[in-house]
C-alpha cells in the first residue's frame, strides 16, 4: 500500500517530462492531422519560390510583433492560403479554355472607370501561384499592378489588361476623394518595385518588394488608413480584398 503514492507521483513526473520535451515542431494546428512544421511546408508549397526558412522567419517575426504564438500565426496563415486556393479552384472551374493553346479565354479588356482608386480582380493566376490577381486604377484609364515574377510594378493603360469569366470590378466604400487619393498614391509611390513571392506574410505597407494584393492593400493603408484585408492574419491575398467588408463588387464578368 505504501508504494501507491510513489507510483502515482512517478506517473505525474513522466507526463510533465513528456510535455516539456514535446517541442514546437510537433505542436498541431487547428487541423489536428497536420503539425506546425508540416503546415509551414504546405505554406511553402502554396507560395512557390519561397523556402521553409524564409517562411518560418517571417511568421515568427509577425508573431513577435503582434503578441501571438507562432503556432497560432502559422495556423491563421495556412487557413488563409487554403481559402485562397479554394477560391482559385472555384473560379478556374468556370474558365473557358482554348482547345489549341489550352489557355483561358479572355472575355474582354478592362474598361475605363469613373473614379480612380477602383480595384480589379482577375481569377487568372500568376504562373505557378494558385490565387487570383488584383490591381488598382491610378486614374480613370490607367491601372497600377504588380504583374508577377521577374517584373516590376508598373502603370499601364486599362485596355492592355484582359478580363476573364468571374473577373470583378470593385470600389472601396469611402468618398470618391479618398478613393482617388489611394489611386494616386499607388501611381506615385508603388511603381517600380520588384515582385514579392510570399503572400502568406506580406502585410508590410512600405516593403521594397510587393506582390499584387500587397500593393493594393498598401495603397489604401498608407494613403487613407483603410485596411482591405478581409480576414486578418499575416497575409493579404487577392480574394481577401474582394471579400473585405470595406469593398463592394460593382461588376462581375
Amino acid at each position: 500500500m505504501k508504494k501507491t503514492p510513489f507510483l502515482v507521483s512517478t506517473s505525474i513526473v513522466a507526463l510533465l517530462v513528456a510535455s516539456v520535451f514535446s517541442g514546437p515542431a510537433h505542436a498541431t494546428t487547428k487541423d489536428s492531422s497536420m503539425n506546425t512544421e508540416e503546415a509551414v511546408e504546405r505554406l511553402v508549397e502554396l507560395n512557390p519560390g519561397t523556402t521553409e526558412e524564409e517562411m518560418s522567419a517571417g511568421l515568427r517575426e509577425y508573431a513577435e510583433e503582434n503578441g501571438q504564438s507562432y503556432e497560432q500565426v502559422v495556423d491563421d496563415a495556412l487557413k488563409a492560403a487554403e481559402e485562397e486556393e479554394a477560391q482559385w479552384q472555384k473560379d478556374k472551374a468556370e474558365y473557358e479554355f482554348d482547345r489549341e493553346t489550352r489557355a483561358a479565354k479572355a472575355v474582354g479588356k478592362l474598361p475605363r472607370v469613373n473614379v480612380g482608386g477602383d480595384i480589379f480582380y482577375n481569377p487568372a493566376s500568376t504562373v505557378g501561384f494558385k490565387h487570383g490577381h488584383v490591381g488598382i486604377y491610378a486614374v480613370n484609364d490607367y491601372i497600377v499592378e504588380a504583374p508577377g515574377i521577374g517584373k516590376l510594378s508598373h502603370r499601364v493603360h486599362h485596355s492592355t489588361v484582359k478580363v476573364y469569366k468571374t473577373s470583378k470590378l470593385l470600389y472601396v466604400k469611402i468618398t470618391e476623394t479618398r478613393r482617388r487619393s489611394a489611386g494616386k498614391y499607388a501611381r506615385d509611390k508603388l511603381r517600380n518595385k520588384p515582385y514579392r513571392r510570399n503572400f502568406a506574410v506580406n502585410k508590410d505597407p512600405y516593403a521594397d518588394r510587393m506582390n499584387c494584393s500587397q500593393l493594393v492593400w498598401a495603397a489604401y493603408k498608407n494613403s487613407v488608413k483603410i485596411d482591405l484585408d478581409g480576414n486578418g492574419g499575416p497575409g493579404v491575398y487577392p480574394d481577401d480584398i474582394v471579400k473585405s467588408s470595406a469593398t463592394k463588387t460593382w461588376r462581375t464578368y
Side-chain angles (χ1 to χ4, degrees):
M1 296 295 292
K2 293 181 180 180
K3 293 182 179 180
T4 302
F6 175 77
L7 291 173
V8 172
S9 61
T10 302
S11 299
I12 293 173
V13 170
L15 288 171
L16 290 172
V17 170
S19 65
V20 168
F21 286 96
S22 58
H26 300 289
T28 58
T29 63
K30 289 179 182 177
D31 176 2
S32 59
S33 66
M34 185 178 294
N35 63 42
T36 302
E37 184 177 349
E38 291 169 337
V40 172
E41 292 174 358
R42 175 61 175 154
L43 281 168
V44 170
E45 180 184 338
L46 292 170
N47 289 267
T50 61
T51 65
E52 290 181 33
E53 292 76 13
E54 173 191 353
M55 184 66 70
S56 181
L59 292 166
R60 287 187 185 281
E61 182 179 355
Y62 182 89
E64 291 175 4
E65 291 177 350
N66 291 274
Q68 296 177 266
S69 71
Y70 173 65
E71 291 76 20
Q72 182 61 54
V73 169
V74 171
D75 186 79
D76 290 344
L78 181 59
K79 180 181 178 182
E82 296 282 16
E83 288 176 351
E84 184 71 21
E85 183 190 25
Q87 184 62 49
W88 177 81
Q89 294 287 2
K90 182 179 178 181
D91 289 339
K92 184 182 176 183
E94 298 189 39
Y95 285 179
E96 292 182 13
F97 289 91
D98 186 292
R99 291 184 178 181
E100 294 183 3
T101 65
R102 299 183 65 82
K105 288 183 179 180
V107 297
K109 297 179 180 179
L110 280 180
R112 187 179 190 276
V113 298
N114 293 327
V115 181
D118 277 11
I119 298 165
F120 73 88
Y121 168 85
N122 264 342
S125 71
T126 304
V127 176
F129 290 78
K130 295 181 178 180
H131 54 67
H133 175 71
V134 288
I136 183 172
Y137 279 83
V139 289
N140 309 65
D141 48 5
Y142 279 87
I143 63 102
V144 175
E145 64 175 352
I149 298 171
K151 299 178 181 179
L152 300 177
S153 57
H154 60 197
R155 186 190 75 149
V156 296
H157 195 263
H158 68 85
S159 63
T160 65
V161 181
K162 296 178 181 179
V163 292
Y164 304 84
K165 195 171 182 181
T166 73
S167 290
K168 296 176 175 63
L169 292 171
L170 310 91
Y171 68 85
V172 178
K173 294 182 283 186
I174 54 177
T175 65
E176 291 184 0
T177 299
R178 298 180 76 197
R179 285 153 59 188
R180 289 190 181 97
S181 294
K184 291 177 180 177
Y185 184 92
R187 179 195 64 192
D188 297 340
K189 303 292 186 180
L190 301 180
R191 289 187 293 162
N192 299 315
K193 287 182 176 287
Y195 192 74
R196 179 189 182 98
R197 297 170 186 260
N198 191 346
F199 280 75
V201 191
N202 67 353
K203 288 170 70 173
D204 177 356
Y206 301 104
D208 293 331
R209 292 176 174 270
M210 286 193 173
N211 46 47
C212 65
S213 47
Q214 181 182 11
L215 185 151
V216 175
W217 172 81
Y220 271 92
K221 184 72 171 176
N222 291 344
S223 64
V224 293
K225 310 304 179 187
I226 298 292
D227 187 349
L228 296 183
D229 184 13
N231 61 3
V236 55
Y237 289 86
D239 193 52
D240 292 339
I241 293 175
V242 174
K243 293 179 178 176
S244 170
S245 60
T247 63
K248 182 175 180 62
T249 298
W250 60 268
R251 181 174 181 179
T252 300
Y253 287 84

